[in-house]
């Protein structure tokens, strides 16, 4: 059973991430198309999960709503915010994503993926640090 996600908390995280809250009504979010708006931004509305848990839907709007949708996903899935977004819930449009709290397994998988992505860079940095330390000690490698 997912934990409750509140609209104002999700909106706060998105605004802190630099996105614009369009403050659309729920009726406007369900009726309008995302490309009707001149400014890129988001709107949130409530959603009731099949088990009755109140969750939040974040929708992207504007001429570049696809990019805004990706920014919403990126912001809310940061390790310190800890949400998971899905787009397979019934009743969601293409520009909307369901926001729920991430499970411990999902957070661990994200940490492993991030570590795997950063491993080549960390390896390079360690090698450069060893070379720099050797040069400072007067033992520069002969090439």
């Amino acid at each position: 059973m997912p934990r409750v996600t509140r609209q104002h908390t999700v909106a706060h995280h998105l605004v802190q991430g630099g996105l614009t809250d369009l403050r659309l009504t729920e009726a406007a979010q369900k009726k309008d198309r995302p490309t009707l708006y001149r400014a890129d931004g988001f709107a949130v509305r409530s959603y009731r999960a099949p088990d009755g848990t109140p969750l939040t839907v974040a929708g992207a709007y504007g001429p570049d709503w696809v990019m805004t949708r990706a920014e919403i996903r990126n912001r809310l899935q940061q390790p310190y915010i800890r949400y998971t977004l899905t787009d397979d819930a019934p009743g969601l449009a293409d520009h909307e994503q369901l926001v729920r709290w991430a499970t411990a397994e999902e957070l661990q998988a994200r940490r492993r993926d991030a570590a795997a992505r950063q491993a080549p860079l960390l390896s390079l940095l360690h090698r450069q640090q060893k070379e720099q330390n050797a040069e400072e000690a007067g033992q520069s490698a002969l090439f």
Side-chain angles (χ1 to χ4, degrees):
M1 179 168 130
R3 287 181 26 206
V4 173
T5 56
R6 292 183 174 80
Q7 294 178 40
H8 67 279
T9 306
V10 172
H12 172 75
H13 286 302
L14 292 174
V15 168
Q16 291 297 318
L19 285 97
T20 304
D21 189 354
L22 300 176
R23 300 186 189 274
L24 302 175
T25 64
E26 189 169 335
Q29 291 179 48
K30 289 182 179 180
K31 180 184 75 158
D32 291 344
R33 293 188 316 265
T35 55
L36 291 178
Y37 298 90
R38 291 179 183 237
D40 289 322
F42 73 93
V44 293
R45 65 179 171 90
S46 62
Y47 178 87
R48 187 90 38 195
D51 64 0
T53 306
L55 300 173
T56 300
V57 171
Y61 296 88
D64 195 9
W65 66 267
V66 175
M67 183 54 125
T68 304
R69 185 174 188 257
E71 290 173 359
I72 290 170
R73 178 176 294 275
N74 181 51
R75 174 67 180 166
L76 293 179
Q77 289 188 339
Q78 291 296 316
Y80 51 89
I81 297 178
R82 302 186 329 227
Y83 284 122
T84 291
L85 281 76
T86 59
D87 51 6
D88 60 354
L92 294 183
D94 289 340
H95 65 284
E96 295 179 322
Q97 302 174 85
L98 183 65
V99 181
R100 66 171 176 76
W101 286 101
T103 63
E105 294 82 22
E106 290 169 333
L107 294 173
Q108 288 173 353
R110 286 183 203 166
R111 281 193 290 273
R112 281 192 305 271
D113 292 344
R117 282 192 312 271
Q118 294 173 353
L121 178 61
L122 289 174
S123 169
L124 177 66
L125 291 173
H126 288 299
R127 190 180 74 221
Q128 288 176 345
Q129 185 64 40
K130 285 180 184 178
E131 290 173 3
Q132 184 180 4
N133 290 344
E135 287 177 9
E136 289 174 356
Q139 302 172 358
S140 60
L142 298 174
F143 292 99

